């Protein structure tokens, strides 16, 4: 029975203070539900509004990739230096501790492997919404192939994922694929990022290009940039710096971190650029310092 005798009477109603009506800092997501915002806030740091996502999902189309032969050895040491882990459910389940505190972005579609010239042909759901919930996913990633034969199929998978995600408060990351036939131009990325956002993506992963500030401005949700093939460390830091200065809200980087001669150094250096506005030269010093601590 409730003990209602002798309790202090409630009186602190602060009648002169308006109710807290916090805005929400993740671009384009202010009208989403609480659960969705909570997951986005686990991915994008409130202090910077940005995120460092570590991508190790390459095996879903490429099999073992240089640097990712033993994910169980390579990825866990990098977890403290990143905000989000991006991988397939198979690899997250087998190689990442469930006690991990970083957010998880699960790749939920499959595509044709590199054995086929046209990887856009033949995609489908690899991890349905029930499995994503069971994984406690903070985000679901869907690859899309604009300008390729699998374009409409991949857009359908994106929209269906976004439908399921909005039902359960799990954001969808739309990934812009660049295939052999696809141009890496401002014109292409303007179209691709906008199409993904309009079809339900809460976040878009795309590539840095000349004219990126217009691409970022025209995309109503945050863009995180992919790293792409391994570059010399300073060049990768320069690319991340330019992207952030021109409106990206983070990186979703794989090879430029785990293929580096100091993955920890690169993860920390990228974090300084993304969250603290370090210049490439300052961040390169961080990388060098950690590399030589070994
Ligand atoms: C391709 C992908 C990749 O699988 C991966 O996430 C890319 O990472 P990086 O290019 O930085 O190695 O998203 O679209």
């Amino acid at each position: 029975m409730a003990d209602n005798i002798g309790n202090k009477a409630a009186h602190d109603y602060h009648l002169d203070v308006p109710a807290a009506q916090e805005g929400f800092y993740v671009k384009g997501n202010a009208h989403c539900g609480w659960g969705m915002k909570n997951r986005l806030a686990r991915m994008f740091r409130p202090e910077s509004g940005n995120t460092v996502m570590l991508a190790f999902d390459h095996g879903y189309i490429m099999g073992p990739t240089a640097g990712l032969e033993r994910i169980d050895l390579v990825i866990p040491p990098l977890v403290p230096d990143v905000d989000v882990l991006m991988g397939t459910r198979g690899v997250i389940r087998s190689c990442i501790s469930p006690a991990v505190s970083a957010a998880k972005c699960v790749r939920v579609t499959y595509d044709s492997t590199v054995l086929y010239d046209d990887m856009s042909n033949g995609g489908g759901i690899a991890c349905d919404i029930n499995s994503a919930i069971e994984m406690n996913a903070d985000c679901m990633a869907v690859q899309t192939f604009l300008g390729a034969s699998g374009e409409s199929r991949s857009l359908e998978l994106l929209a269906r994922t976004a439908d399921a995600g909005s039902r359960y408060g799990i954001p969808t990351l739309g990934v812009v694929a660049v295939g052999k036939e696809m141009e890496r131009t401002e014109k292409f990325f303007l179209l691709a990022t906008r199409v993904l956002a309009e079809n339900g993506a809460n976040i878009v992963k795309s590539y840095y290009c000349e004219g990126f500030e217009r691409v970022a401005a025209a995309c109503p949700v945050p863009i995180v940039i992919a790293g792409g093939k391994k570059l010399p460390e300073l060049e990768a830091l320069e690319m991340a710096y330019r992207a952030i200065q021109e409106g990206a809200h983070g990186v979703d980087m794989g090879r430029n971190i785990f293929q580096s001669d100091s993955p920890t150094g690169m993860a920390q250096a990228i974090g300084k650029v993304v969250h603290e506005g370090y210049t490439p030269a300052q961040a390169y010093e961080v990388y060098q310092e950690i590399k030589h601590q070994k």
Side-chain angles (χ1 to χ4, degrees):
M1 200 213 272
D3 180 0
N4 62 358
I5 301 169
N7 281 324
K8 280 177 85 172
H11 64 279
D12 267 346
Y13 295 102
H14 299 283
L15 297 180
D16 53 337
V17 183
Q21 291 284 357
E22 265 181 50
F24 189 62
Y25 63 92
V26 180
K27 184 180 181 184
N29 284 278
H31 303 299
C32 294
W34 196 94
M36 179 82 79
K37 287 179 179 167
N38 178 247
R39 289 185 175 90
L40 288 164
R42 285 177 43 71
M43 302 176 69
F44 292 85
R45 286 198 204 169
E47 315 86 78
S48 62
N50 295 338
T51 184
V52 175
M53 299 178 63
L54 175 63
F56 51 92
D57 57 330
H58 307 58
Y60 96 106
I61 43 172
M62 291 158 81
T65 307
L68 287 184
E69 295 85 349
R70 287 288 304 274
I71 294 184
D72 58 321
L73 302 180
V74 173
I75 299 300
L78 301 175
V79 172
D81 299 317
V82 300
D83 304 300
V84 184
L85 301 172
M86 184 201 194
T88 55
R89 68 158 152 181
V91 153
I92 293 177
R93 194 168 53 200
S94 54
C95 303
I96 306 294
S97 163
V100 80
S101 58
K104 292 126 351 245
C105 176
V106 180
R107 206 174 245 290
V108 296
T109 50
Y110 63 83
D111 300 299
S112 294
T113 66
V114 285
L115 298 176
Y116 287 84
D117 265 354
D118 183 357
M119 294 191 318
S120 78
N121 237 335
I125 296 288
C127 175
D128 69 12
I129 186 69
N130 295 322
S131 303
I133 293 168
E134 192 281 327
M135 295 285 297
N136 200 22
D138 297 282
C139 187
M140 300 182 287
V142 177
Q143 188 96 343
T144 57
F145 299 91
L146 273 68
S149 62
E151 176 181 291
S152 52
R153 172 76 179 137
S154 65
L155 286 177
E156 187 191 343
L157 292 171
L158 172 74
R160 283 179 189 268
T161 302
D163 280 342
S166 60
R167 207 170 307 129
Y168 296 103
I170 305 180
T172 296
L173 171 74
V175 181
V176 176
V178 283
K180 280 188 211 144
E181 307 303 324
M182 302 172 201
E183 10 159 16
R184 294 183 179 226
T185 58
E186 176 185 342
K187 191 175 158 209
F188 174 71
F189 290 126
L190 268 169
L191 177 137
T193 54
R194 184 61 173 270
V195 166
L196 268 49
E198 300 234 5
N199 281 290
N202 302 88
I203 311 162
V204 171
K205 173 173 177 172
S206 187
Y207 289 81
Y208 181 73
C209 62
E210 287 306 317
F212 183 80
E213 59 191 342
R214 285 182 287 277
V215 176
C219 181
V221 298
I223 296 183
V224 292
I225 60 146
K229 290 190 183 132
K230 172 80 176 67
L231 300 167
E233 278 73 8
L234 184 57
E235 280 177 41
L237 293 167
E238 279 164 354
M239 178 174 70
Y241 180 79
R242 283 199 302 272
I244 296 293
Q245 297 306 309
E246 294 172 31
H249 282 282
V251 301
D252 185 7
M253 208 172 242
R255 286 163 287 182
N256 278 290
I257 294 178
F258 62 71
Q259 289 181 350
S260 167
D261 53 8
S262 174
T264 301
M266 264 313 265
Q268 290 193 19
I270 287 284
K272 295 288 184 194
V273 169
V274 168
H275 293 301
E276 297 180 43
Y278 274 36
T279 62
Q282 290 170 320
Y284 189 71
E285 267 180 44
V286 171
Y287 152 75
Q288 291 272 32
E289 221 174 85
I290 293 165
K291 176 177 154 177
H292 294 301
Q293 273 168 15
K294 285 200 267 174

